[in-house]
Amino acid sequence: MGSQSYFKALIICLIALIGSTQAQLQLGFYAKSCPKAEQIILKYVVEHIHNAPSLAAALIRLHFHDCFVNGCDGSVLVDSTPGNQAEKDAIPNLTLRGFGFIEAIKRLVEAECPGVVSCADILALTARDSIHATGGPYWNVPTGRRDGFISRAADPLRSLPAPFHNLTTQLTLFGNVGLDANDLVLLVGAHTIGIAHCSSISTRLYNFTGKGDTDPTIDSGYAKNLKTFKCKNINDNSLIEMDPGSRDTFDLGYYKQVVKRRGLFQSDAELLTSPITRSIIASQLQSTQGFFAEFAKSMEKMGRINVKLGAEGEIRKHCARVNN
């Protein structure tokens, strides 16, 4: 009896081990279960992203906000219900865009392979394809993520880096999800595309220390320009380019602005307060090709944050709500 119990326990352990090794992200995860999935996603992106190129920035931001809050599990896509306020309704997420774009792709993929491809994977692939289709870098996206069951509005406030965070706070939040200073500098390099709202810098421009002053770390000429032509008063919530002059071009423009003390956010200026992050910026400025390669590594790393695998999640029928 003892030996039989031992072998039964050994078999159970082996099965568990095999299951754990199989339940990993992998390139081409849907090659057999839904072989056209990635092709469908890419085709939709290529056909539509040029009609609204600013969506590329919105989609990579959506992916970032998803991964930093409870992992890359599509929880940012879930709608609130009478009994639960979801992540998308948290203050940091109120300006997120691209939900309809992701849902449109989900419908196409569901028509091809019902109940097979997760919203988390669709979001990760769409973010990559939209950036690459508009001239940005390409990175590998291993798939096999499951969609999470939980989406709470309280979580983004605790987990997401904010435009006003100092470097220590940024590094802590990145460290909480397994990313380091190098990943921080590289991933915020995505600020080379897209737009922000004046509300994200109003205090920096008009009331930095509570005395009606401007953040002294911002270039005075840039601050004057912003106040004169963009954010004309503290209550102005107009749209503003994060990388003036090339907001639709994925390039080194953001880093060039930062070293001139013209980074839009306080969090951008904070990158100059450490020799480590300054050195990383200087390294990226050596070549666009080098930046693209390093950015790709950090994006793939980010896409692996606390992913749900196997029974840890589900495949949602609709990205905006968990299955019942």
Side-chain angles (χ1 to χ4, degrees):
M1 284 293 290
S3 61
Q4 289 180 341
S5 298
Y6 170 79
F7 282 116
K8 285 181 180 178
L10 180 60
I11 290 170
I12 291 172
C13 288
L14 286 171
I15 291 172
L17 179 61
I18 292 170
S20 66
T21 57
Q22 289 179 336
Q24 301 293 327
L25 296 186
Q26 56 184 280
L27 292 172
F29 180 84
Y30 301 108
K32 292 183 179 179
S33 58
C34 191
K36 294 183 180 179
E38 295 194 25
Q39 179 184 341
I40 291 170
I41 294 168
L42 176 60
K43 183 174 184 289
Y44 187 89
V45 169
V46 170
E47 288 178 350
H48 293 85
I49 199 68
H50 294 288
N51 296 328
S54 66
L55 259 182
L59 290 164
I60 197 171
R61 182 176 181 231
L62 195 59
H63 183 34
F64 180 95
H65 280 231
D66 183 39
C67 291
F68 263 70
V69 183
N70 299 319
C72 309
D73 65 352
S75 55
V76 74
L77 305 172
V78 175
D79 285 341
S80 294
T81 65
N84 178 66
Q85 190 174 25
E87 288 175 30
K88 67 165 60 172
D89 289 323
I91 290 174
N93 289 342
L94 293 178
T95 56
L96 290 178
R97 297 185 299 129
F99 297 104
F101 198 88
I102 296 298
E103 200 67 66
I105 295 175
K106 174 64 172 176
R107 286 194 294 270
L108 293 174
V109 175
E110 281 293 301
E112 177 71 19
C113 310
V116 174
V117 182
S118 69
C119 296
D121 277 340
I122 289 174
L123 176 54
L125 289 162
T126 302
R128 188 271 309 279
D129 290 346
S130 64
I131 293 296
H132 191 240
T134 51
Y138 180 93
W139 60 92
N140 289 326
V141 179
T143 45
R145 298 166 188 80
R146 306 282 282 189
D147 296 322
F149 300 114
I150 297 171
S151 182
R152 296 177 296 233
D155 294 340
L157 290 168
R158 291 191 292 263
S159 304
L160 286 172
F164 53 82
H165 278 160
N166 62 32
L167 184 58
T168 299
T169 301
Q170 292 180 73
L171 288 170
T172 297
L173 292 172
F174 271 69
N176 289 345
V177 293
L179 303 179
D180 57 24
N182 194 63
D183 299 311
L184 165 60
V185 174
L186 284 158
L187 292 176
V188 297
H191 287 173
T192 187
I193 56 172
I195 53 178
H197 288 79
C198 285
S199 58
S200 62
I201 59 167
S202 57
T203 299
R204 189 179 190 211
L205 289 178
Y206 289 101
N207 199 28
F208 188 63
T209 64
K211 299 178 182 178
D213 55 340
T214 300
D215 180 358
T217 67
I218 190 172
D219 175 77
S220 59
Y222 182 47
K224 181 179 179 180
N225 180 278
L226 288 172
K227 288 199 262 188
T228 303
F229 300 106
K230 302 292 183 178
C231 309
K232 298 179 180 180
N233 60 67
I234 196 169
N235 297 313
D236 192 336
N237 199 28
S238 301
L239 295 176
I240 183 172
E241 298 174 331
M242 291 190 287
D243 181 4
S246 65
R247 76 177 197 187
D248 292 328
T249 305
F250 208 102
D251 55 21
L252 297 173
Y254 164 77
Y255 296 126
K256 292 176 181 178
Q257 295 291 334
V258 169
V259 297
K260 293 177 183 177
R261 297 193 299 119
R262 294 178 181 176
L264 190 64
F265 304 131
Q266 183 183 346
S267 56
D268 297 330
E270 286 286 321
L271 298 178
L272 299 179
T273 63
S274 163
I276 295 174
T277 47
R278 285 201 307 271
S279 174
I280 298 168
I281 291 174
S283 177
Q284 302 316 310
L285 283 169
Q286 296 302 306
S287 79
T288 300
Q289 184 178 3
F291 166 48
F292 277 23
E294 292 301 308
F295 181 85
K297 292 177 185 176
S298 288
M299 280 302 302
E300 183 174 349
K301 189 175 175 183
M302 187 191 82
R304 295 179 179 274
I305 295 174
N306 297 329
V307 296
K308 310 295 187 295
L309 301 169
E312 296 171 339
E314 65 178 3
I315 304 297
R316 286 190 214 128
K317 296 176 182 178
H318 303 278
C319 293
R321 60 179 183 268
V322 299
N323 298 336
N324 293 321

